[in-house]
């Protein structure tokens, strides 16, 4: 289950020698993709996420989240109310994953140990 990491510049006109200007894209093997499909199909109930999550979910997209924001702003503007919005910069969200907590949550959801071991190796 090999993965090839490809460095992609975040800002194409930025400093090409600065490591902070790059993010890695992982190109997984076909075996990794098959493993993902099997785990998602077999344990989808155990790894269910919030109905409020729009991205990376079957039948949903991050575009839906943008539409919800637009409709909310439109509603409050139509009712002559102020609209305030706070944005979160999650550009480094994957760099901040606490894997111990993630695996504890998977254990709590009764994901089999063999699957957890494979995920840990990956």
């Amino acid at each position: 289950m090999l993965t090839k990491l490809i460095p992609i510049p975040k800002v194409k006109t930025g400093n090409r020698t600065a490591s902070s200007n790059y993010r890695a894209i992982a190109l997984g093997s076909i075996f990794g993709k098959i493993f993902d499909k099997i785990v998602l199909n077999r344990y989808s109930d155990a790894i269910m996420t919030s109905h409020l999550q729009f991205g990376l979910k079957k039948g949903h997209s991050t575009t839906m989240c943008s539409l919800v924001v637009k409709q909310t702003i439109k509603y409050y503007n139509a009712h002559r109310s102020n609209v305030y919005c706070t944005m979160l910069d999650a550009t480094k969200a994957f760099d901040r994953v606490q894997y111990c907590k993630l695996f504890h949550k998977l254990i709590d959801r009764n994901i089999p140990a063999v699957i957890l071991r494979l995920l840990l190796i990956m």
Side-chain angles (χ1 to χ4, degrees), residues 14-119:
N15 184 355
R16 292 199 171 257
T17 61
S19 62
S20 61
N21 189 35
Y22 288 89
R23 62 187 161 105
I25 300 295
L27 301 177
S29 68
I30 189 69
F31 298 111
K33 292 178 183 182
I34 292 169
F35 176 74
D36 285 349
K37 290 286 186 189
I38 291 169
V39 169
L40 290 173
N41 284 334
R42 186 146 189 182
Y43 303 104
S44 61
D45 291 340
I47 54 177
M48 183 78 61
T49 59
S50 167
H51 71 284
L52 298 175
Q53 179 180 337
F54 292 96
L56 306 173
K57 202 169 183 180
K58 187 176 182 177
H60 293 76
S61 72
T62 51
T63 305
M64 292 173 72
C65 190
S66 300
L67 292 173
V68 168
V69 170
K70 284 175 134 180
Q71 289 299 314
T72 303
I73 291 170
K74 189 175 179 179
Y75 172 85
Y76 283 102
N77 282 336
H79 289 87
R80 303 200 184 281
S81 178
N82 292 330
V83 180
Y84 300 98
C85 183
T86 300
M87 299 293 190
L88 171 66
D89 179 7
T91 55
K92 296 197 181 252
F94 291 107
D95 297 340
R96 307 218 184 272
V97 172
Q98 294 182 1
Y99 291 101
C100 287
K101 285 187 178 183
L102 176 63
F103 277 92
H104 280 292
K105 287 187 178 287
L106 292 172
I107 291 168
D108 292 343
R109 294 180 181 201
N110 297 318
I111 301 297
V114 67
I115 300 294
L116 294 173
R117 282 190 208 106
L118 284 170
L119 288 171

